[in-house]
Amino acid sequence: MTTTASSTAPTSTIELAPSYALPLVLVLAAVPLLFVQKWASLSLSLFGLFLMYQAATIRLQFTPTDLDIYRMSKLIRRFPYREWQNWRILWPAVPIWFYFKEINSIHSLPILFDRKMLQTCLEQRCPRQD
């Protein structure tokens, strides 16, 4: 018995939980840097706080056909899987960045959500070709 892609394709929508790990690491790394270089420490902590705000307000939803990005409850971008060519989680040992390539563009995001669920959803909904 053979199975087709349509019979094994996910049919539910999954929303990724936020992860504050990356923003917290940046904010905490800024503390000792304060004694060495105040402006660098301020810049790093502000960037960490910005990412913390993004983690609190941005949601990724994997639908059966698209990756949807929401800010609060407003849809801000939709990326249909049929247009994806490749994706990758950079630095898997310390995952901090995710990128994917569509037919006409490349997108990248800091990992501000559950990395394991991100990878699971990507593998299920948009299997890599390489």
Side-chain angles (χ1 to χ4, degrees), residues 11-77:
T11 58
S12 63
T13 296
I14 296 175
E15 182 174 299
L16 299 183
S19 170
Y20 298 96
L22 179 60
L24 284 174
V25 166
L26 293 175
V27 170
L28 292 174
V31 173
L33 189 58
L34 179 64
F35 300 107
V36 179
Q37 179 55 261
K38 291 179 185 177
W39 290 110
S41 174
L42 177 64
S43 298
L44 189 62
S45 63
L46 287 175
F47 184 59
L49 291 172
F50 169 73
L51 290 180
M52 197 171 295
Y53 172 76
Q54 295 289 51
T57 60
I58 301 234
R59 293 293 170 265
L60 269 60
Q61 287 187 357
F62 284 88
T63 72
T65 59
D66 310 304
L67 169 63
D68 293 343
I69 300 180
Y70 287 84
R71 174 168 282 124
M72 304 293 188
S73 59
K74 180 183 177 191
L75 178 66
I76 57 174
R77 286 295 304 262

Side-chain angles (χ1 to χ4, degrees), residues 61-67 79-84 125-126:
Q61 287 187 357
F62 284 88
T63 72
T65 59
D66 310 304
L67 169 63
F79 300 101
Y81 305 132
R82 69 180 180 279
E83 295 180 5
W84 289 38
R125 294 159 197 265
C126 195

